[in-house]
C-alpha cells in the first residue's frame, strides 16, 4: 500500500490523481491532502478519501471543516502544506499545487525522505539546483508528472546518459498558436482559456498560450534530467500525440505516444517501474490519427520561450525572477487587471531589471522571488492597462 500526500487535491491534476488512486484502493491511499479554497469540492474529497490530515487556505475554512469532520486533523497555509507533506506514514508526495508556493512543502518532504511525484514545475524552475541537491542528498526520487517529462523519463529508461544527444520537448502551441503577434493585442481571457488539446487549471492554460509553460518545461527538464540547455529542443506538434522524444548519439529517435490523458503520467509516477491498466482508458487508434505534424518553434512569435533559454543559461535566480514575474502577471491577466501582451512585457521587464553578481543561496532565492512579486505588482498598479 502506497501512502500519498496530495497537495492541490481540488485542481485539475488533483482530480486526475484522485481518479487514479481510487481505481486501485488496494494499492494506494491518500493519507493527507490539501486544497486552498474550493470548499465544496474539498468537502466531497474528505468524505470520499477519509484522509488523516487536511491542509486548507484559511483559518475560517479550518474552523468550519473541523466541526464537520471531528476525526480529521486540519492545518492552514504553509504550515498546513508542510504538515501534509511530511506526515510520518506518507511515502510519496504528489505536488499538484500551482505556483512557487509548492517549494517549501516539497523541500521539507524531501528532507523527510519522501519521494516526490512532481507536477508543480514552478518549484523546479524557482529553485531547481537546491531541490535536486536535497533529493540526491536524501536519496529521494523526483518522478515527473508533467506529460513531456514523463515521456522523456520513459524514453531514457535503460539508456546510458553519455549516449544522449538531445531531448525534444513537444509543444501543442496553446490556444493562440495560429494568431499573429498583431492579433494578440486584443485577445480575451475567455479565448485564452480555450486550449485545443488539454483541459487544465487556468494559470497553466494561460502559460501554454504565451509559451511560458514550454519555457518553464525547458528549465524543468534541465533540472530533472541534468541536461545542458543546448541539448534541449522544442518542436511544435499540434496533435499532442507524441508527448516528447529523446535522440541518441547514433541518430535514433525514441518517442512516447498516447492520448492527451494526464492520468497516464500521474499513474506511472505512482506505479514506477510497474505498469497498470487505466480505468476507462481513452480511445487511442493510430490509424484514426493518421498524421503527425512537427514544425520548428518561432522564437520571435513566442519570446517567452526564447527568454527561458536566456534565464536558464544565466542560472542563479534568473529563472526564479522569470517564474515569479509570470505568476503575478498571468494571475493579473486572469483577474482582468492587465491586457494579454502585458504578461510577456512584465516578465521581460522583471528579468531585465534583475542583476546578479555573486553566487546566491536558497534563502536569497526565496527573498528574490518575493521581491519580484512585489515589484511586478507595483508595475501592474502603475502601468497595467497602458
Ligand atoms: P489548478 O489551478 O487546477 O489547481 C491548483 C491546486 O492548487 C488547487 O487544488 C488549489 O486549491 C491549490 N492552490 C492554489 N493556490 C494555492 C495556494 N496559494 N496555497 C495552497 N494551495 C493552492 O492547477 P493544475 O492545472 O492542476 O496544475 C497544478 C500544477 O501542475 C501546476 O504547477 C501545473 O503547471 C502542473 N501541471 C498541470 C498539468 C495539467 O494538466 N493541469 C499538466 C502538467 C503540469
Ligand atoms: Mg506539460
Amino acid at each position: 500500500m502506497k501512502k500519498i500526500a496530495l497537495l492541490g487535491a481540488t485542481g485539475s491534476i488533483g482530480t486526475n490523481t484522485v481518479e487514479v488512486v481510487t481505481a486501485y484502493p488496494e494499492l494506494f491511499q491518500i493519507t493527507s491532502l490539501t486544497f486552498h479554497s474550493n470548499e465544496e469540492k474539498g468537502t466531497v474529497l474528505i468524505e470520499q478519501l477519509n484522509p488523516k490530515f487536511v491542509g486548507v487556505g484559511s483559518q475560517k475554512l479550518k474552523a468550519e471543516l473541523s466541526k464537520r469532520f471531528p476525526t480529521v486533523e486540519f492545518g492552514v497555509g504553509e504550515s498546513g502544506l508542510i504538515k501534509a507533506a511530511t506526515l510520518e506514514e506518507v511515502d510519496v508526495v504528489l505536488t499538484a499545487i500551482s505556483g512557487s508556493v509548492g517549494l517549501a512543502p516539497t523541500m521539507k518532504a524531501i528532507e523527510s525522505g519522501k519521494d516526490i511525484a512532481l507536477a508543480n514545475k514552478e518549484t523546479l524552475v524557482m529553485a531547481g539546483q537546491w531541490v535536486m541537491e536535497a533529493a540526491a542528498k536524501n536519496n529521494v526520487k523526483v518522478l515527473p508528472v508533467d506529460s513531456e517529462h514523463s515521456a522523456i523519463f520513459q524514453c531514457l529508461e535503460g539508456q546510458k546518459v553519455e549516449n544522449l544527444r538531445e531531448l525534444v520537448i513537444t509543444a501543442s502551441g496553446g490556444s493562440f498558436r495560429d494568431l499573429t503577434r498583431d492579433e494578440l493585442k486584443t485577445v480575451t481571457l475567455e479565448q485564452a482559456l480555450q486550449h485545443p488539446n488539454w483541459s487544465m487549471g487556468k494559470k497553466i492554460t494561460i502559460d501554454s498560450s504565451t509559451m511560458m509553460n514550454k519555457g518553464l518545461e525547458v528549465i524543468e527538464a534541465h533540472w530533472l534530467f541534468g541536461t545542458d540547455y543546448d541539448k534541449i529542443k522544442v518542436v511544435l506538434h499540434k496533435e499532442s500525440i507524441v508527448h516528447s522524444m529523446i535522440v541518441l548519439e547514433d541518430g535514433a529517435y525514441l518517442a512516447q505516444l498516447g492520448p492527451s490523458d494526464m492520468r497516464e503520467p500521474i499513474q506511472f509516477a505512482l506505479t514506477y517501474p510497474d505498469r497498470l491498466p487505466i480505468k476507462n482508458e481513452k480511445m487511442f487508434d493510430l490509424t484514426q490519427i493518421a498524421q503527425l505534424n512537427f514544425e520548428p518553434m518561432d522564437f520571435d512569435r513566442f519570446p517567452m520561450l526564447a527568454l527561458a533559454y536566456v534565464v536558464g543559461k544565466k542560472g542563479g535566480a534568473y529563472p526564479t525572477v522569470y517564474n515569479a514575474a509570470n505568476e503575478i502577471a498571468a494571475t493579473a491577466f486572469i483577474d482582468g487587471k492587465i491586457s494579454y501582451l502585458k504578461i510577456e512585457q512584465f516578465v521581460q521587464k522583471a528579468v531585465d531589471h534583475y542583476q546578479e553578481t555573486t553566487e546566491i543561496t536558497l534563502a536569497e532565492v526565496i527573498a528574490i522571488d518575493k521581491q519580484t512579486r512585489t515589484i511586478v505588482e507595483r508595475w501592474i498598479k502603475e502601468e497595467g492597462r497602458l
Side-chain angles (χ1 to χ4, degrees):
M1 173 76 81
K2 198 168 257 183
K3 299 200 165 153
I4 300 164
L6 176 56
L7 311 183
T10 51
S12 162
I13 292 287
T15 305
N16 278 296
T17 304
V18 170
E19 263 194 55
V20 166
V21 166
T22 51
Y24 290 102
E26 67 287 7
L27 295 181
F28 306 123
Q29 184 188 348
I30 293 187
T31 309
S32 55
L33 62 85
T34 78
F35 62 95
H36 195 56
S37 53
N38 189 341
E39 185 172 0
E40 201 182 324
K41 200 160 179 186
T43 306
V44 172
L45 287 175
I46 297 171
E47 276 164 359
Q48 181 188 4
L49 302 166
N50 192 25
K52 187 175 164 192
F53 179 87
V54 173
V56 294
S58 70
Q59 287 291 351
K60 186 169 169 268
L61 201 49
K62 176 184 167 180
E64 278 169 27
L65 292 171
S66 301
K67 265 190 239 147
R68 188 146 173 203
F69 300 101
T71 58
V72 179
E73 190 189 341
F74 288 89
V76 180
E78 187 175 282
S79 62
L81 287 167
I82 291 172
K83 176 102 193 246
T86 56
L87 277 195
E88 204 187 331
E89 49 271 69
V90 165
D91 301 307
V92 55
V93 180
L94 202 143
T95 63
I97 38 182
S98 179
S100 58
V101 64
L103 178 66
T106 305
M107 282 301 271
K108 293 285 184 208
I110 291 172
E111 286 161 11
S112 309
K114 316 292 186 197
D115 286 333
I116 307 293
L118 185 122
N120 176 233
K121 65 191 86 180
E122 293 92 339
T123 287
L124 269 196
V125 174
M126 177 184 172
Q129 183 189 329
W130 293 273
V131 172
M132 295 313 284
E133 272 173 18
K137 192 172 149 210
N138 291 283
N139 205 13
V140 149
K141 290 194 212 58
V142 181
L143 296 158
V145 168
D146 212 348
S147 57
E148 294 77 0
H149 304 73
S150 176
I152 290 168
F153 179 67
Q154 293 177 54
C155 293
L156 283 172
E157 279 272 282
Q159 302 301 333
K160 290 183 182 157
V161 179
E162 61 268 30
N163 290 341
L164 181 70
R165 186 183 289 174
E166 59 190 34
L167 309 180
V168 184
I169 299 178
T170 54
S172 70
S175 36
F176 298 143
R177 62 192 184 192
D178 298 321
L179 301 191
T180 63
R181 289 203 59 84
D182 207 42
E183 287 167 329
L184 292 176
K185 285 181 187 152
T186 53
V187 292
T188 64
L189 174 64
E190 209 188 356
Q191 291 166 324
L193 291 178
Q194 302 299 318
H195 195 285
N197 306 350
W198 297 91
S199 158
M200 310 183 282
K202 279 187 188 168
K203 192 235 169 205
I204 185 176
T205 306
I206 302 303
D207 288 353
S208 299
S209 74
T210 55
M211 209 51 74
M212 190 71 203
N213 183 50
K214 217 43 62 177
L216 298 173
E217 289 183 354
V218 166
I219 300 170
E220 182 187 12
H222 168 77
W223 289 118
L224 275 176
F225 307 115
T227 310
D228 288 347
Y229 285 101
D230 291 333
K231 291 183 166 187
I232 305 175
K233 302 283 152 57
V234 179
V235 294
L236 187 64
H237 169 51
K238 291 184 178 175
E239 292 87 0
S240 293
I241 294 294
V242 174
H243 295 316
S244 278
M245 300 169 252
I246 65 170
V247 189
L248 299 171
E249 277 305 358
D250 57 1
Y253 275 67
L254 305 188
Q256 191 262 344
L257 287 72
S260 309
D261 183 349
M262 285 309 294
R263 291 177 306 167
E264 285 197 354
I266 290 168
Q267 183 173 290
F268 188 60
L270 295 176
T271 60
Y272 171 79
D274 295 326
R275 304 256 180 187
L276 289 169
I278 293 205
K279 280 235 172 98
N280 306 318
E281 200 174 307
K282 276 195 186 173
M283 273 291 296
F284 187 66
D285 181 350
L286 275 178
T287 62
Q288 293 296 312
I289 296 158
Q291 261 198 23
L292 297 174
N293 293 282
F294 301 94
E295 296 167 50
M297 290 306 301
D298 179 345
F299 286 91
D300 295 327
R301 167 66 184 79
F302 295 113
M304 290 301 98
L305 181 58
L307 189 59
Y309 285 92
V310 174
V311 296
K313 285 178 186 174
K314 282 190 171 192
Y318 282 94
T320 316
V321 171
Y322 169 79
N323 176 64
N326 177 62
E327 282 190 31
I328 296 298
T331 307
F333 173 68
I334 292 169
D335 294 342
K337 291 184 187 155
I338 60 172
S339 60
Y340 182 76
L341 282 176
K342 280 274 166 196
I343 304 174
E344 308 180 333
Q345 286 173 26
F346 283 131
V347 175
Q348 183 69 55
K349 189 170 164 176
V351 170
D352 292 344
H353 187 260
Y354 179 65
Q355 294 289 334
E356 188 171 300
T357 47
T358 53
E359 236 179 72
I360 53 166
T361 63
L362 178 59
E364 285 162 341
V365 161
I366 293 167
I368 291 160
D369 172 78
K370 286 210 174 75
Q371 283 160 19
T372 306
R373 287 160 192 277
T374 309
I375 293 168
V376 177
E377 268 161 7
R378 198 184 72 221
W379 290 342
I380 288 169
K381 274 200 192 119
E382 288 169 1
E383 52 171 316
R385 285 227 163 260
L386 298 182

